[in-house]
Amino acid sequence: MENNQPSEESAYTSKETDECIICQEPRARKCERCRSCSYCSKNCQRVDWPSHKLLCSQYAQQQPRPSQAHKRAILFKEDGPKPLMIWVVCRRKNDQEDGIRDSVDVGSFLGNDMPFTDHRLIQRNLRRNRGLGYTLELKFRDGFLLDGSKPNQSIQAMETTVSSSWRGPMVALKKQGVGVDFRSYADMTLGDYRHLVDYFASYGNDSVKENPVPRSLSNVVRGVKVSCFGAMILHGSEPFVDIEVRDTHLIRSRYLESCVSPISKLVNMPVLGWKSPSNKQCNGTACKLFMEPDASKSDWGWAPSYWQNDVGDVVLVRLDGQDLTVSDAELLCRFCEWKLQPLFEDGLGAGLVQRSRREVVDFITAENMASFRNEMERRKAEDTQRD
């Protein structure tokens, strides 16, 4: 078998069954060996082969399901040469508050110390501009940034464009449905595995996109991703990233809570913010956008708890439907973080200068924000010199 070519045993069959996992062409044919992934042509199969070959035989030869409670999953071992197909136990529980739902414990796959775990949810393949219609869940060690976890070799083996910064073991599972409330797990397929490859390759690299949709053919606006601390440290993401936001994108669905930054309305640049459901890190920059400027309210100067806890990457778009540029988003965020937060602290009696709430509120204008740009650029230059 050649390293970059599918073998005769994995050639697709003559029976047309599904859409192509690479280009979404309908009437594609299943891989004959694993029958878990479909291609419309030899060319698309060759594109997928470098990663598909790592699991094709494993999938076809995996041991029988131990019980009806077991679901097929994928293990990415920290020091493994390639991913592994595994069975995990999903137990049905009847919770008094949440009702009947599946519960899964993968701690033993993530280390002998039975670590606390965290997860990320994947409901769209941004690299190929398609919604999944279900949810993939990545489970990993909660403290992988701090506990000495090493770069994950089996993730790096999937594709050359995958970042080397993914650390520690991970388990991928499949959940039925989209949104944030899930009831049951399902078996992973190698089509799902392809979506994972694309997720790993494109995370922290918004330029990785193989099937862009022309703007004239879709309802697209320009938005800005405000990167969380983990994305910047782990993957080298820029603090502010220009992105396309379509009306069909998950972040514009009703499944996720969104709100308008109250400060942005006062400076005539009203923006909506969405918290990414796929990571829970720290994003103090985005949090400051949602500080309460209404001096009559008891939580004046504070952001709601929703924006203080479990805030990963945050996507911003303008409420008026216009494009939001990185330059404007950065100015708005830094104005809130570097200028207004100290003023709020003064007004709350926790700062260095005595100020009334009215003084602080009166300062929040479009003109003062525009004047802040030179101060922002000077501070960025000073930070660069210190680094």
Side-chain angles (χ1 to χ4, degrees):
M1 182 188 302
E2 295 182 15
N3 188 45
N4 294 319
Q5 300 293 333
S7 69
E8 290 299 322
E9 290 82 7
S10 66
Y12 58 90
T13 69
S14 59
K15 184 179 180 181
E16 297 168 338
T17 57
D18 208 347
E19 70 175 19
C20 180
I21 193 61
I22 297 298
C23 70
Q24 303 178 59
E25 183 73 20
R27 299 161 64 89
R29 301 166 181 173
K30 288 187 180 295
C31 169
E32 188 174 80
R33 175 190 289 162
C34 67
R35 302 193 62 79
S36 182
C37 202
S38 300
Y39 309 99
C40 67
S41 65
K42 283 287 189 180
N43 183 58
C44 282
Q45 190 181 26
R46 290 190 185 98
V47 170
D48 193 37
W49 183 244
S51 56
H52 183 83
K53 68 180 180 180
L54 301 178
L55 285 179
C56 185
S57 294
Q58 280 193 59
Y59 188 96
Q61 300 169 13
Q62 188 174 10
Q63 292 296 314
R65 189 186 308 272
S67 75
Q68 289 301 312
H70 284 77
K71 302 297 181 184
R72 183 179 283 114
I74 299 176
L75 171 64
F76 298 95
K77 295 184 69 174
E78 184 178 58
D79 56 354
K82 59 183 179 180
L84 299 174
M85 300 302 309
I86 61 173
W87 295 107
V88 298
V89 179
C90 300
R91 303 192 184 281
R92 183 57 57 93
K93 293 186 176 181
N94 191 350
D95 187 273
Q96 188 172 2
E97 294 183 359
D98 296 331
I100 299 175
R101 62 175 65 240
D102 283 349
S103 175
V104 61
D105 183 4
V106 298
S108 61
F109 292 106
L110 302 182
N112 295 328
D113 55 344
M114 298 297 289
F116 290 108
T117 64
D118 202 347
H119 71 280
R120 289 180 182 170
L121 304 179
I122 306 166
Q123 298 176 334
R124 186 170 186 83
N125 187 327
L126 297 181
R127 192 181 195 184
R128 303 185 188 281
N129 282 306
R130 60 182 299 186
L132 305 187
Y134 53 87
T135 300
L136 300 179
E137 180 181 36
L138 273 176
K139 286 186 173 289
F140 48 87
R141 297 173 65 93
D142 181 58
F144 72 94
L145 285 174
L146 305 172
D147 64 9
S149 293
K150 299 177 181 178
N152 191 300
Q153 300 298 319
S154 58
I155 291 178
Q156 294 178 45
M158 295 191 302
E159 188 172 312
T160 57
T161 58
V162 171
S163 166
S164 61
S165 299
W166 292 96
R167 292 179 176 273
M170 294 189 178
V171 175
L173 305 108
K174 183 176 183 176
K175 291 184 170 184
Q176 296 181 0
V178 295
V180 294
D181 184 30
F182 308 96
R183 298 287 166 176
S184 58
Y185 285 89
D187 285 337
M188 289 283 293
T189 70
L190 294 195
D192 303 326
Y193 170 62
R194 177 70 243 180
H195 296 312
L196 288 174
V197 174
D198 291 335
Y199 175 80
F200 286 128
S202 60
Y203 188 86
N205 182 2
D206 296 86
S207 64
V208 178
K209 185 177 291 186
E210 295 185 2
N211 294 339
V213 176
R215 180 162 184 160
S216 60
L217 299 181
S218 63
N219 185 9
V220 175
V221 296
R222 306 303 303 185
V224 174
K225 181 183 74 174
V226 185
S227 301
C228 67
F229 178 77
M232 289 188 285
I233 297 299
L234 183 60
H235 300 288
S237 295
E238 292 295 323
F240 302 93
V241 181
D242 175 61
I243 59 173
E244 290 182 354
V245 183
R246 295 196 292 162
D247 58 354
T248 55
H249 195 288
L250 175 65
I251 59 174
R252 298 179 70 180
S253 76
R254 296 300 181 187
Y255 291 117
L256 299 180
E257 183 174 347
S258 64
C259 63
V260 181
S261 159
I263 293 175
S264 70
K265 293 191 291 186
L266 296 180
V267 297
N268 301 325
M269 191 192 299
V271 298
L272 279 163
W274 286 272
K275 283 168 51 173
S276 169
S278 62
N279 55 20
K280 297 179 180 180
Q281 301 286 335
C282 175
N283 199 328
T285 298
C287 171
K288 305 304 186 296
L289 289 172
F290 299 94
M291 294 184 295
E292 178 55 65
D294 187 339
S296 66
K297 294 187 175 181
S298 60
D299 59 348
W300 181 83
W302 292 89
S305 59
Y306 176 79
W307 288 103
Q308 295 186 45
N309 302 310
D310 295 336
V311 185
D313 294 335
V314 171
V315 172
L316 303 177
V317 295
R318 289 187 60 125
L319 184 63
D320 56 15
Q322 298 182 35
D323 288 340
L324 178 64
T325 66
V326 166
S327 177
D328 285 344
E330 181 180 25
L331 177 62
L332 174 61
C333 289
R334 297 309 189 195
F335 182 62
C336 293
E337 183 180 24
W338 292 349
K339 196 69 176 181
L340 296 186
Q341 185 185 17
L343 296 183
F344 278 122
E345 291 174 352
D346 291 342
L348 290 168
L352 301 176
V353 179
Q354 274 195 329
R355 302 182 194 274
S356 68
R357 293 189 177 191
R358 177 47 53 191
E359 286 181 88
V360 177
V361 174
D362 288 345
F363 184 82
I364 307 175
T365 66
E367 292 75 21
N368 284 333
M369 184 175 74
S371 299
F372 174 72
R373 187 179 293 276
N374 288 337
E375 181 181 336
M376 178 187 73
E377 295 299 338
R378 183 172 62 254
R379 179 165 174 173
K380 287 168 57 182
E382 292 172 353
D383 289 346
T384 301
Q385 289 178 356
R386 281 196 294 269
D387 293 340

CSV table of all heavy atoms in Angstrom, one decimal, residues 120 138 144 150-153 155-156 162-168 170 199-201 203 234-235:
chain,number,residue,atom,x,y,z
A,120,ARG,N,-15.3,20.4,24.8
A,120,ARG,CA,-15.7,21.3,23.8
A,120,ARG,C,-16.7,20.7,22.9
A,120,ARG,O,-16.6,19.5,22.6
A,120,ARG,CB,-14.4,21.8,23.0
A,120,ARG,CG,-13.5,22.7,23.8
A,120,ARG,CD,-12.3,23.1,23.1
A,120,ARG,NE,-11.4,23.9,23.9
A,120,ARG,CZ,-10.2,24.3,23.6
A,120,ARG,NH1,-9.7,23.9,22.5
A,120,ARG,NH2,-9.5,25.0,24.5
A,138,LEU,N,-15.5,16.8,22.5
A,138,LEU,CA,-14.1,16.5,22.8
A,138,LEU,C,-14.0,16.6,24.3
A,138,LEU,O,-14.2,17.7,24.9
A,138,LEU,CB,-13.2,17.4,22.1
A,138,LEU,CG,-12.7,17.1,20.7
A,138,LEU,CD1,-11.8,18.2,20.2
A,138,LEU,CD2,-11.9,15.8,20.7
A,144,PHE,N,-4.9,20.7,31.5
A,144,PHE,CA,-3.8,20.2,30.6
A,144,PHE,C,-2.8,21.3,30.3
A,144,PHE,O,-1.7,21.1,29.9
A,144,PHE,CB,-4.4,19.7,29.2
A,144,PHE,CG,-5.0,20.8,28.3
A,144,PHE,CD1,-4.3,21.4,27.3
A,144,PHE,CD2,-6.3,21.2,28.5
A,144,PHE,CE1,-4.8,22.3,26.5
A,144,PHE,CE2,-6.9,22.1,27.7
A,144,PHE,CZ,-6.1,22.7,26.7
A,150,LYS,N,1.9,16.6,27.6
A,150,LYS,CA,2.7,16.8,26.5
A,150,LYS,C,1.9,16.9,25.2
A,150,LYS,O,0.7,16.6,25.2
A,150,LYS,CB,3.7,15.6,26.4
A,150,LYS,CG,4.6,15.4,27.6
A,150,LYS,CD,5.4,14.2,27.5
A,150,LYS,CE,6.3,14.0,28.7
A,150,LYS,NZ,7.1,12.7,28.6
A,151,PRO,N,2.5,17.5,24.1
A,151,PRO,CA,1.8,17.6,22.8
A,151,PRO,C,1.3,16.2,22.4
A,151,PRO,O,1.9,15.2,22.6
A,151,PRO,CB,2.9,18.1,21.9
A,151,PRO,CG,3.9,18.8,22.7
A,151,PRO,CD,3.9,18.1,24.0
A,152,ASN,N,0.0,16.2,21.9
A,152,ASN,CA,-0.7,15.0,21.6
A,152,ASN,C,-0.2,14.5,20.2
A,152,ASN,O,-0.5,15.1,19.2
A,152,ASN,CB,-2.2,15.2,21.5
A,152,ASN,CG,-2.9,14.0,21.4
A,152,ASN,OD1,-2.8,13.2,20.5
A,152,ASN,ND2,-3.8,13.7,22.4
A,153,GLN,N,0.6,13.4,20.2
A,153,GLN,CA,1.2,12.8,19.0
A,153,GLN,C,0.1,12.3,18.0
A,153,GLN,O,0.3,12.4,16.8
A,153,GLN,CB,2.2,11.8,19.4
A,153,GLN,CG,3.3,12.2,20.3
A,153,GLN,CD,4.2,13.3,19.6
A,153,GLN,OE1,4.5,13.2,18.4
A,153,GLN,NE2,4.5,14.3,20.4
A,155,ILE,N,-2.9,13.2,17.5
A,155,ILE,CA,-3.6,14.3,16.8
A,155,ILE,C,-2.7,14.9,15.7
A,155,ILE,O,-3.2,15.1,14.6
A,155,ILE,CB,-4.0,15.4,17.8
A,155,ILE,CG1,-5.1,14.9,18.7
A,155,ILE,CG2,-4.5,16.7,17.1
A,155,ILE,CD1,-5.6,15.9,19.8
A,156,GLN,N,-1.4,15.1,16.0
A,156,GLN,CA,-0.5,15.6,15.0
A,156,GLN,C,-0.4,14.6,13.8
A,156,GLN,O,-0.1,15.1,12.7
A,156,GLN,CB,0.8,15.9,15.6
A,156,GLN,CG,0.8,17.0,16.7
A,156,GLN,CD,2.2,17.2,17.3
A,156,GLN,OE1,3.2,17.2,16.6
A,156,GLN,NE2,2.2,17.3,18.6
A,162,VAL,N,-2.2,20.4,11.3
A,162,VAL,CA,-2.7,20.4,12.7
A,162,VAL,C,-1.7,21.0,13.6
A,162,VAL,O,-0.5,20.6,13.5
A,162,VAL,CB,-3.1,19.0,13.2
A,162,VAL,CG1,-3.4,19.0,14.7
A,162,VAL,CG2,-4.3,18.5,12.4
A,163,SER,N,-2.1,21.9,14.5
A,163,SER,CA,-1.2,22.6,15.4
A,163,SER,C,-0.5,21.5,16.3
A,163,SER,O,-1.2,20.6,16.7
A,163,SER,CB,-1.9,23.6,16.2
A,163,SER,OG,-1.2,24.0,17.3
A,164,SER,N,0.7,21.8,16.7
A,164,SER,CA,1.4,20.9,17.6
A,164,SER,C,1.1,21.2,19.1
A,164,SER,O,1.7,20.7,20.0
A,164,SER,CB,2.9,21.0,17.4
A,164,SER,OG,3.4,22.3,17.6
A,165,SER,N,0.2,22.2,19.3
A,165,SER,CA,0.0,22.7,20.6
A,165,SER,C,-1.1,21.9,21.4
A,165,SER,O,-1.4,22.2,22.5
A,165,SER,CB,-0.4,24.2,20.6
A,165,SER,OG,0.6,24.9,20.1
A,166,TRP,N,-1.8,21.0,20.7
A,166,TRP,CA,-2.8,20.2,21.4
A,166,TRP,C,-2.1,19.3,22.4
A,166,TRP,O,-1.2,18.5,22.0
A,166,TRP,CB,-3.7,19.4,20.4
A,166,TRP,CG,-4.5,20.3,19.6
A,166,TRP,CD1,-4.3,20.7,18.3
A,166,TRP,CD2,-5.8,20.8,19.9
A,166,TRP,NE1,-5.3,21.5,17.8
A,166,TRP,CE2,-6.3,21.6,18.8
A,166,TRP,CE3,-6.6,20.7,21.0
A,166,TRP,CZ2,-7.5,22.2,18.8
A,166,TRP,CZ3,-7.8,21.4,21.0
A,166,TRP,CH2,-8.3,22.1,19.9
A,167,ARG,N,-2.5,19.3,23.7
A,167,ARG,CA,-1.8,18.6,24.7
A,167,ARG,C,-2.7,17.7,25.5
A,167,ARG,O,-3.9,17.9,25.7
A,167,ARG,CB,-1.2,19.6,25.7
A,167,ARG,CG,-0.1,20.5,25.0
A,167,ARG,CD,0.5,21.5,26.0
A,167,ARG,NE,1.7,22.2,25.4
A,167,ARG,CZ,2.9,21.7,25.4
A,167,ARG,NH1,3.2,20.6,26.1
A,167,ARG,NH2,3.9,22.4,24.8
A,168,GLY,N,-2.1,16.6,25.9
A,168,GLY,CA,-2.8,15.6,26.8
A,168,GLY,C,-3.7,14.7,26.0
A,168,GLY,O,-4.0,15.0,24.8
A,170,MET,N,-7.2,12.9,24.7
A,170,MET,CA,-8.5,13.4,24.4
A,170,MET,C,-9.4,12.3,24.0
A,170,MET,O,-8.9,11.3,23.3
A,170,MET,CB,-8.5,14.5,23.4
A,170,MET,CG,-7.8,15.8,23.8
A,170,MET,SD,-8.1,17.1,22.6
A,170,MET,CE,-7.2,18.5,23.4
A,199,TYR,N,-11.5,20.2,12.4
A,199,TYR,CA,-11.6,21.1,13.6
A,199,TYR,C,-10.2,21.3,14.1
A,199,TYR,O,-9.8,22.5,14.4
A,199,TYR,CB,-12.5,20.4,14.6
A,199,TYR,CG,-12.5,21.2,16.0
A,199,TYR,CD1,-13.3,22.3,16.1
A,199,TYR,CD2,-11.7,20.8,17.0
A,199,TYR,CE1,-13.3,23.0,17.3
A,199,TYR,CE2,-11.7,21.5,18.2
A,199,TYR,CZ,-12.5,22.6,18.4
A,199,TYR,OH,-12.5,23.3,19.6
A,200,PHE,N,-9.4,20.3,14.3
A,200,PHE,CA,-8.1,20.4,14.8
A,200,PHE,C,-7.2,21.3,13.9
A,200,PHE,O,-6.4,22.1,14.3
A,200,PHE,CB,-7.4,19.0,15.0
A,200,PHE,CG,-7.9,18.2,16.1
A,200,PHE,CD1,-8.4,16.9,16.0
A,200,PHE,CD2,-8.0,18.8,17.4
A,200,PHE,CE1,-8.9,16.2,17.1
A,200,PHE,CE2,-8.4,18.1,18.5
A,200,PHE,CZ,-8.9,16.8,18.3
A,201,ALA,N,-7.4,21.1,12.6
A,201,ALA,CA,-6.6,21.8,11.6
A,201,ALA,C,-6.9,23.3,11.6
A,201,ALA,O,-6.1,24.2,11.3
A,201,ALA,CB,-6.7,21.2,10.2
A,203,TYR,N,-8.6,25.1,14.1
A,203,TYR,CA,-8.7,25.8,15.4
A,203,TYR,C,-7.5,26.7,15.6
A,203,TYR,O,-6.4,26.3,15.4
A,203,TYR,CB,-8.8,24.8,16.5
A,203,TYR,CG,-9.0,25.5,17.9
A,203,TYR,CD1,-10.3,25.7,18.3
A,203,TYR,CD2,-8.0,25.9,18.7
A,203,TYR,CE1,-10.6,26.3,19.5
A,203,TYR,CE2,-8.3,26.5,19.9
A,203,TYR,CZ,-9.6,26.7,20.3
A,203,TYR,OH,-9.8,27.3,21.5
A,234,LEU,N,-2.2,28.7,23.9
A,234,LEU,CA,-2.0,27.3,23.4
A,234,LEU,C,-1.8,27.3,21.9
A,234,LEU,O,-1.0,26.5,21.4
A,234,LEU,CB,-3.2,26.5,23.8
A,234,LEU,CG,-3.2,25.0,23.4
A,234,LEU,CD1,-2.1,24.3,24.1
A,234,LEU,CD2,-4.5,24.3,23.8
A,235,HIS,N,-2.6,28.1,21.2
A,235,HIS,CA,-2.5,28.0,19.7
A,235,HIS,C,-2.0,29.3,19.0
A,235,HIS,O,-2.0,29.3,17.8
A,235,HIS,CB,-4.0,27.8,19.2
A,235,HIS,CG,-4.6,26.5,19.7
A,235,HIS,ND1,-4.1,25.3,19.3
A,235,HIS,CD2,-5.5,26.3,20.7
A,235,HIS,CE1,-4.8,24.3,20.0
A,235,HIS,NE2,-5.7,24.9,20.8
